[in-house]
Amino acid sequence: MIRELKTFICVARRGTFAAAGQEVGLTPSAVSAQIRTLEDSLGVKLFDRTGRAATLNSAGQRAIPLAEEMLQLFARMGAPATENDFHGALRIGAIGTVQTGILPQVLVALKAKAPFIEASLIPGVSLNLLSLVDSGDLDLAIMINPPFALPKDLRAEVIAREPYVLITPKGVRGSDPAQLLRDHPFIRYDRNSFGGRSVTQFLREHKLSVRQALELDELDAIVKMVRSGLGVALVPLAGLWLENASDVRIIPLKAQTFYREIVLLTRYQQRHAPLFNLFRTCVVDAMAKHSAQAPRLDLGN
């Protein structure tokens, strides 16, 4: 009956037997047969069927949280007696600032808790990592929260909010971000990236016209360009450059501060998997330590 419960939840989430079948690898008729078996066992109808759509009725709505609870209990039955009993592979995607930020701490903690896990790291930009998780080529990814709705079978949990600041070469005077952006060449965070779209939106909202000098996607490279005196930039407070932040001026945006959200992305059906939850615990612990050690900057909000 476990597979019928999984199919039931999938149909409820996807809205049609055909869409659910694509996710679980069954034909629509096989999905229909599983739902019929479940309904016969329970003695109630779970869906109102209109054309191709399958909408939960009142009995189905009551059944969903119970089905999820049963699947969680089933997953716990297969969990290892101790963390050290974990075996297998974990395919992790991460953006650049995560790779050089919290990820080493996360992997050290994971190795200590589950020494037999084989973790592989796949670097990439957020849009590419999203596609790899969606296709099943990655188990999870730590990336920037996309500025659009996720596919229904993906789940993102916000684990950090990173404020943007204006950075300038050391010799640049002035403290008004808007004026500095108007007066100096601008090194743009790639507008096609999730983080760069936030910069573009900020400039548009505040009607700021800039003189673009360069456009890059790599944050540490952007900071190097600013250090070299090529211009000013809007960047999040994240990355290796913070270890030598004294080489540039950091100017808070005060009340105009905007943020990028870092999320832990996985497929919806994996959210209760014991190995994923172990990794998530390592991420949360590393984030807490990182926040406690990070230098404080008065953002003026």
Side-chain angles (χ1 to χ4, degrees):
M1 195 58 64
I2 292 298
R3 67 174 184 173
E4 283 81 4
L5 290 175
K6 290 181 178 179
T7 301
F8 166 53
I9 292 173
C10 187
V11 173
R13 191 169 69 250
R14 300 303 295 267
T16 69
F17 288 176
Q22 290 178 353
E23 180 172 330
V24 299
L26 295 173
T27 64
S29 59
V31 171
S32 179
Q34 286 195 13
I35 296 301
R36 187 163 53 251
T37 298
L38 182 60
E39 290 177 331
D40 290 345
S41 298
L42 296 174
V44 295
K45 296 294 183 182
L46 300 170
F47 292 97
D48 292 329
R49 297 168 175 81
T50 306
R52 295 183 178 181
T55 306
L56 287 172
N57 59 24
S58 58
Q61 291 173 356
R62 289 194 302 272
I64 278 290
L66 297 174
E68 291 179 337
E69 184 178 351
M70 292 174 69
L71 290 180
Q72 291 176 32
L73 291 172
F74 180 76
R76 287 169 56 188
M77 289 175 63
T82 66
E83 291 174 331
N84 285 346
D85 290 336
F86 279 110
H87 289 77
L90 189 64
R91 300 164 299 174
I92 304 162
I95 58 173
T97 54
V98 170
Q99 295 172 51
T100 57
I102 67 161
L103 194 57
Q105 300 174 44
V106 172
L107 294 178
V108 167
L110 181 66
K111 193 69 175 176
K113 293 175 181 293
F116 303 113
I117 290 298
E118 295 182 9
S120 57
L121 172 62
I122 292 83
V125 296
S126 294
L127 182 60
N128 185 44
L129 296 177
L130 172 63
S131 298
L132 291 174
V133 174
D134 192 28
S135 65
D137 293 311
L138 284 178
D139 297 307
L140 53 90
I142 307 178
M143 49 173 271
I144 304 170
N145 203 10
F148 49 77
L150 290 170
K152 290 184 178 180
D153 51 352
L154 295 185
R155 179 178 181 271
E157 177 186 359
V158 177
I159 57 174
R161 294 180 77 238
E162 297 171 343
Y164 281 76
V165 293
L166 177 67
I167 60 171
T168 77
K170 288 291 288 184
V172 169
R173 297 183 179 180
S175 58
D176 179 5
Q179 194 61 49
L180 289 168
L181 285 165
R182 293 188 186 99
D183 292 346
H184 296 272
F186 184 58
I187 301 173
R188 185 187 286 270
Y189 189 176
D190 183 5
R191 71 192 80 195
N192 293 316
S193 68
F194 293 166
R197 293 185 197 185
S198 298
V199 171
T200 298
Q201 183 178 353
F202 172 83
L203 296 174
R204 185 180 297 121
E205 287 178 354
H206 296 283
K207 298 180 173 59
L208 292 170
S209 178
V210 295
R211 293 182 288 120
Q212 183 171 309
L214 288 170
E215 185 168 359
L216 303 168
D217 184 49
E218 178 59 49
L219 288 182
D220 291 315
I222 292 174
V223 178
K224 285 183 179 180
M225 299 300 176
V226 173
R227 284 193 184 114
S228 299
L230 291 175
V232 301
L234 290 165
V235 295
L237 276 175
L240 284 176
W241 71 271
L242 290 174
E243 296 179 6
N244 296 295
S246 59
D247 291 346
V248 296
R249 290 186 64 207
I250 301 177
I251 301 174
L253 301 177
K254 301 295 184 179
Q256 297 175 341
T257 301
F258 61 107
Y259 298 80
R260 73 173 188 178
E261 292 181 333
I262 303 300
V263 297
L264 178 58
L265 180 78
T266 190
R267 294 178 67 82
Y268 190 86
Q269 62 192 24
Q270 292 180 314
R271 70 196 189 284
H272 296 305
L275 183 53
F276 171 76
N277 285 324
L278 176 62
F279 183 83
R280 179 189 176 278
T281 298
C282 294
V283 169
V284 172
D285 291 346
M287 274 296 183
K289 292 179 182 177
H290 178 75
S291 298
Q293 297 169 356
R296 299 297 176 185
L297 183 67
D298 181 14
L299 300 177
N301 303 58

